Amino acid sequence: MHTFLTRLNSSFAYSMSVLGALTFACFLSTALNSNLSDVSLNVGRVLVRKASDLSIPRQLNDLGYVTLDLDVDLQKIFNWNVKQLFLYLTAEYETESNKFNQVILWDKIIRRGENAKLTFKGMNSKYYFFDD
């Protein structure tokens, strides 16, 4: 006859094996999905103006404006394991004073159940960017 602790140990080991197998099955259900989507992004109007930076008096900096066309369908990315997507669009450029500059132009959070097909024509950038 086995003791109480032996039976408890074998029951615990069996339940952990079953939970491990279920966890691996959940992993396999989404790991093999393709999370790629076709994106069409076009840059419309790019405008650079001299503007005063309010944090530094009497200094003019470059202020950039960009209009964009964006067309993407993200509906196939959502599955049981994806609750929301955070999308962002960055611009990278190089200047004489800085080797690498990166600026966020636009961002959006899409939750499950919302319209995941985005079509924007002539969209202005959400965030303007200054360059020194």
Side-chain angles (χ1 to χ4, degrees):
M1 206 58 159
H2 295 294
T3 65
F4 174 73
L5 291 177
T6 306
R7 291 178 183 179
L8 184 66
N9 184 26
S10 78
S11 297
F12 181 74
Y14 176 73
S15 62
M16 286 297 117
S17 299
V18 169
L19 286 176
L22 287 175
T23 303
F24 188 70
C26 288
F27 163 73
L28 284 181
S29 71
T30 59
L32 303 177
N33 290 348
S34 174
N35 293 328
L36 300 176
S37 183
D38 294 329
V39 177
S40 171
L41 177 66
N42 297 317
V43 177
R45 182 178 54 128
V46 177
L47 181 64
V48 178
R49 292 186 179 166
K50 292 285 187 184
S52 61
D53 188 0
L54 299 177
S55 63
I56 303 171
R58 290 179 281 172
Q59 182 178 358
L60 292 177
N61 291 334
D62 293 334
L63 176 64
Y65 298 95
V66 179
T67 59
L68 305 165
D69 296 336
L70 177 68
D71 187 24
V72 62
D73 186 10
L74 302 171
Q75 292 173 349
K76 64 182 177 180
I77 293 177
F78 283 97
N79 56 35
W80 68 269
N81 198 27
V82 178
K83 292 184 181 180
Q84 67 182 11
L85 292 174
F86 180 73
L87 307 173
Y88 63 97
L89 180 66
T90 61
E92 297 176 358
Y93 59 97
E94 184 177 324
T95 61
E96 295 173 1
S97 59
N98 297 321
K99 191 78 171 164
F100 179 71
N101 297 300
Q102 190 173 29
V103 179
I104 295 177
L105 298 175
W106 173 82
D107 64 359
K108 183 171 180 65
I109 296 175
I110 301 175
R111 292 183 175 84
R112 185 185 313 169
E114 292 181 3
N115 187 12
K117 181 164 176 54
L118 303 176
T119 303
F120 297 113
K121 301 289 183 201
M123 171 184 67
N124 292 324
S125 59
K126 188 174 181 180
Y127 306 107
Y128 301 116
F129 56 93
F130 282 98
D131 189 22
D132 51 354

